Amino acid sequence: MHVGIELGFGNLHDDLTDEDVYAGSVRLARLAEHLRFDSVWAVEHHFSNYSMCPDNILFLTHVAAVTERLLLATGAVILPWHDPVRVAERMIMLDILSGGRAVLGLGRGLSRSEYEAFRIPMGESRGRFDEAARMVINALETGFIEGVGPFYPQPRAELRPRPIRPFTDRVYCVAGSPGSATVPAELRAGLLTVVTKPLAENLAVYRTYRDAFRARHGTQPPPVMCVLNMYCAPDGQAAREFARVHLERFYLANVRHYELTGAHFSGIPGYEQYAHTARTLHDSPTDAEVDRYLEASLVGSPDELVARIAGMRDLVGDLSIAVTPVYGGMPYAEAEASLELFGKEVLPEIRGQGF
């Protein structure tokens, strides 16, 4: 089982500077390398302390210089906010500078405030994503980029430096509903999901993706990549009590940043699922939603997390995971201790059992 970490760059702690967030994030990446995790994933967000990584490729290029083995994954580049030419060029540079360790994760974004600040209509997100994704993926395979679509008309141009090796099996797309799960399948990409509710409720997404992938390509899809908040401590009950405080803060930050209780989703093409989510949140008490968020996370003692991951594999089948070690204003010292315990006691156990 591939096991990575995901970094979110939130600054929800009153005593942290933005520089502290970046220093802590680099320490976690270096610790992940030391502990033999497989990858580090970096998000993209703008204009808010909710998450402060406007250029995840740049951050990963720095991580490339202080590590030797970790795969370096964008989780994700939000394509509608970028020129496809620049995404392809920068990913090639990251791949060269890291010795072939780059992984491209793609998404289309959910925050109305970020779209408005970029002066891009959110209703164009699906069209922009579909058009740009094919251009970028093709460019990383061929070394040439071109496009005839309405959003990114691009004369054929050679990219230099050239790709050093194909990105086949190194591309992922974020999807969170059965309706969007066919998109990574069509692109022959892996499915990247952020787990915010009990895993059993995502099974239709995984099934739709796998069925569409097999039908389109006649072969088995790669393991689904699940991103989960994680906190590991020697005492499971103490871990849950500590993590819940920070999960609640992070959950509320999510609701605010994405306006998850807003009525605007119903009027934006491609976001119909979130209109339903908004209605559900209005009808559910916050404590109940936070409890569901805790249930969806990897929180507990090392033995509990080994059993939980085994249960995930039994439920989902082939999967990979990326654990988010810091969230909701959690002190970096606590996140580092949690990640170290997970790396020393959980990773060897699940690998020893052949997960």
Side-chain angles (χ1 to χ4, degrees):
M1 178 186 290
H2 179 111
V3 182
I5 71 165
E6 188 249 21
L7 298 173
F9 306 94
N11 190 359
L12 304 179
H13 194 293
D14 294 337
D15 297 328
L16 284 183
T17 67
D18 294 351
E19 293 92 335
D20 292 334
V21 170
Y22 273 86
S25 299
V26 172
R27 288 198 306 273
L28 286 169
R30 298 183 76 162
L31 181 59
E33 166 100 345
H34 172 71
L35 294 169
R36 308 297 294 179
F37 282 81
D38 296 303
S39 59
V40 56
W41 297 72
V43 304
E44 177 188 349
H45 279 292
H46 304 257
F47 315 122
S48 169
N49 68 335
Y50 166 75
S51 178
M52 311 175 302
C53 189
D55 192 336
N56 47 12
I57 298 174
L58 178 60
F59 174 79
L60 292 169
T61 303
H62 174 76
V63 174
V66 297
T67 60
E68 296 180 352
R69 186 189 52 80
L70 279 176
L71 297 180
L72 307 161
T74 61
V77 171
I78 308 303
L79 273 184
W81 303 340
H82 294 275
D83 184 324
V85 174
R86 299 295 292 139
V87 173
E89 288 178 328
R90 291 161 64 232
M91 284 303 299
I92 292 170
M93 287 186 64
L94 173 61
D95 206 37
I96 290 173
L97 292 171
S98 67
R101 292 187 281 147
V103 176
L104 176 62
L106 301 171
R108 64 186 178 104
L110 180 59
S111 170
R112 179 169 62 168
S113 63
E114 289 177 278
Y115 268 96
E116 288 178 344
F118 277 120
R119 309 170 306 282
I120 296 171
M122 196 167 170
E124 295 179 358
S125 70
R126 172 56 69 200
R128 286 178 176 270
F129 178 90
D130 291 347
E131 187 177 321
R134 295 185 183 280
M135 291 173 64
V136 170
I137 292 170
N138 185 64
L140 293 176
E141 296 301 313
T142 67
F144 291 85
I145 192 162
E146 58 186 327
V148 297
F151 298 109
Y152 307 106
Q154 172 64 52
R156 180 176 171 85
E158 184 179 9
L159 301 180
R160 299 298 300 268
R162 298 185 177 103
I164 55 174
R165 67 184 182 94
F167 268 72
T168 306
D169 302 326
R170 292 192 289 157
V171 178
Y172 288 81
C173 293
V174 178
S177 68
S180 60
T182 59
V183 174
E186 284 296 312
L187 294 171
R188 204 184 179 102
L191 172 63
L192 176 62
T193 61
V194 181
V195 180
T196 60
K197 56 189 177 182
L199 202 60
E201 297 180 28
N202 285 339
L203 293 182
V205 179
Y206 307 148
R207 183 169 54 252
T208 299
Y209 165 70
R210 288 166 170 159
D211 289 347
F213 194 102
R214 286 189 288 262
R216 178 69 175 82
H217 305 290
T219 188
Q220 290 298 317
V224 171
M225 175 63 73
C226 296
V227 179
L228 308 98
N229 292 310
M230 183 277 293
Y231 184 71
C232 184
D235 181 271
Q237 184 58 34
R240 284 182 284 277
E241 292 173 0
F242 177 83
R244 195 185 192 284
V245 173
H246 300 285
L247 284 169
E248 180 173 5
R249 185 180 296 179
F250 186 53
Y251 167 77
L252 294 173
N254 271 279
V255 172
R256 289 192 299 270
H257 181 73
Y258 293 117
E259 301 176 88
L260 290 179
T261 59
H264 62 288
F265 289 115
S266 61
I268 305 175
Y271 292 90
E272 294 80 6
Q273 172 201 354
Y274 295 98
H276 173 73
T277 299
R279 292 191 296 271
T280 301
L281 288 177
H282 275 307
D283 295 336
S284 299
T286 298
D287 283 350
E289 289 299 323
V290 174
D291 288 341
R292 281 166 50 80
Y293 210 23
L294 178 61
E295 183 183 350
S297 302
L298 279 175
V299 175
S301 69
D303 287 346
E304 289 172 335
L305 295 191
V306 170
R308 172 75 192 286
I309 293 168
M312 291 172 58
R313 183 194 59 175
D314 291 343
L315 180 67
V316 175
D318 287 342
L319 81 160
S320 302
I321 61 174
V323 298
T324 303
V326 62
Y327 44 84
M330 183 185 294
Y332 274 89
E334 292 286 350
E336 290 169 34
S338 164
L339 189 66
E340 185 162 16
L341 185 61
F342 186 100
K344 289 183 175 179
E345 297 196 19
V346 178
L347 268 185
E349 187 67 23
I350 62 177
R351 286 172 174 161
Q353 293 184 25
F355 284 23

